Amino acid sequence: MIKEYLDIYDGTIRLDAVLTKPEAAKEKMPLCIIIHGFTGQKDEDHLMAVEREVLSIGMASLRVDMYGHGKSDGEFRDHTLSKWFLNLLAIVDYAEKLDFVDGIFLCGHSQGGLTVMMGAAMLRDRIRGLIPMSPAWFIPDQARGGSVLGLPFDENHIPEEIYLPDSGLTLGGRYLREAQLIFVKEAVSRYEGPVLIVHGEEDKSVPYHYSEEILSCYQDVELVPIPGDTHCFDHHADQAARAVREWLEKEK
């Protein structure tokens, strides 16, 4: 494989990225942008599994650390959904300028799944296909009801910050205030292209039924369940990645 470490800029914000092409790279090929989830980073095992399958069918991949995560600029506390949405627009702008790119696919896990769903809606005329994995699209709905990641808060008197005991991180109140104003179903239905959703049936963080619920928002959609697997595909990442590859082979 041919690997290049990149800095992609969203205004003054530097995003750390890795561009990978197959060893026998052609002059032109599709590119799959891969986005991690909340508290995640671009080198997680399930994302690397997806990248391997993408490369195996002659496509390139672009894995990116989003604002406040991994090696990119920004503090986790200060990240918001809209910052990620704007990050993604900058990433696509960058990718479209690469001379070998012949079509862009978006793949995102969890909050990254929500991000690529919204990104595809905004860039519906520029995206060839969409792959949300365990998509946490319900984050805004829960924020309106006074909950984030199962942690309650007063939705009418939002705190300055919320401590996340599982990760030891702190999330700023701006994340919650903004999330309450995002209406996902109305937005993502604007994307009319092909969609693949991959989801572990034993996901405790984002229960599988949420992916079943979002199907009606898309016109050309396939849902692949991964039996017995978790939110991050800890048991069968190979199966999840293979589902991505098989779908991409049909769509690319």
Side-chain angles (χ1 to χ4, degrees), residues 2-248:
I2 304 168
K3 186 172 292 188
E4 184 178 357
Y5 296 90
L6 304 171
D7 292 333
I8 298 175
Y9 282 88
D10 176 7
T12 60
I13 299 298
R14 184 193 64 85
L15 304 175
D16 196 77
V18 179
L19 173 66
T20 310
K21 294 190 283 187
E23 196 67 46
K26 299 179 180 179
E27 289 187 6
K28 293 286 187 178
M29 70 188 78
L31 173 71
C32 184
I33 296 171
I34 303 174
I35 304 298
H36 61 81
F38 187 89
T39 75
Q41 46 86 17
K42 66 182 181 301
D43 297 328
E44 292 175 293
D45 289 345
H46 53 290
L47 304 182
M48 298 297 291
V50 170
E51 178 181 82
R52 287 191 293 271
E53 296 294 345
V54 165
L55 296 173
S56 75
I57 56 172
M59 292 178 60
S61 80
L62 181 61
R63 291 179 288 110
V64 186
D65 283 335
M66 303 297 274
Y67 181 97
H69 289 66
K71 298 176 183 177
S72 288
D73 286 353
E75 298 296 327
F76 174 86
R77 183 190 186 282
D78 299 328
H79 95 279
T80 64
L81 294 176
S82 71
K83 285 180 179 177
W84 276 33
F85 300 162
L86 293 175
N87 285 172
L88 183 60
L89 296 184
I91 294 164
V92 172
D93 286 345
Y94 178 92
E96 287 181 328
K97 293 181 176 67
L98 297 171
D99 57 9
F100 69 87
V101 171
D102 179 22
I104 291 176
F105 292 83
L106 299 180
C107 177
H109 174 253
S110 194
Q111 182 169 288
L114 167 59
T115 300
V116 298
M117 290 164 73
M118 296 293 284
M122 289 186 280
L123 302 170
R124 55 194 177 279
D125 54 338
R126 295 161 61 185
I127 301 302
R128 188 181 293 185
L130 171 64
I131 311 167
M133 303 180 73
S134 314
W137 64 265
F138 58 83
I139 289 173
D141 286 352
Q142 289 196 343
R144 282 187 286 275
S147 173
V148 60
L149 298 177
L151 300 173
F153 64 91
D154 184 343
E155 67 269 27
N156 296 313
H157 299 88
I158 295 174
E160 286 298 310
E161 58 185 33
I162 285 184
Y163 177 70
L164 310 175
D166 288 347
S167 62
L169 297 170
T170 299
L171 183 65
R174 285 189 178 185
Y175 178 102
L176 307 172
R177 293 181 184 278
E178 177 187 279
Q180 289 184 338
L181 299 181
I182 297 171
F183 292 85
V184 174
K185 287 185 174 181
E186 293 85 343
V188 303
S189 62
R190 294 175 63 82
Y191 178 70
E192 299 178 354
V195 181
L196 170 71
I197 302 176
V198 183
H199 206 139
E201 288 187 324
E202 301 302 319
D203 188 340
K204 298 297 190 295
S205 300
V206 180
Y208 179 79
H209 69 83
Y210 282 108
S211 281
E212 294 178 311
E213 186 178 334
I214 203 68
L215 291 177
S216 62
C217 292
Y218 292 112
Q219 299 180 24
D220 179 6
V221 61
E222 179 181 351
L223 171 59
V224 175
I226 306 299
D229 218 344
T230 62
H231 185 58
C232 292
F233 305 100
D234 297 303
H235 307 308
H236 305 296
D238 56 335
Q239 292 183 28
R242 187 163 59 248
V244 172
R245 183 199 73 210
E246 291 172 353
W247 183 84
L248 283 171

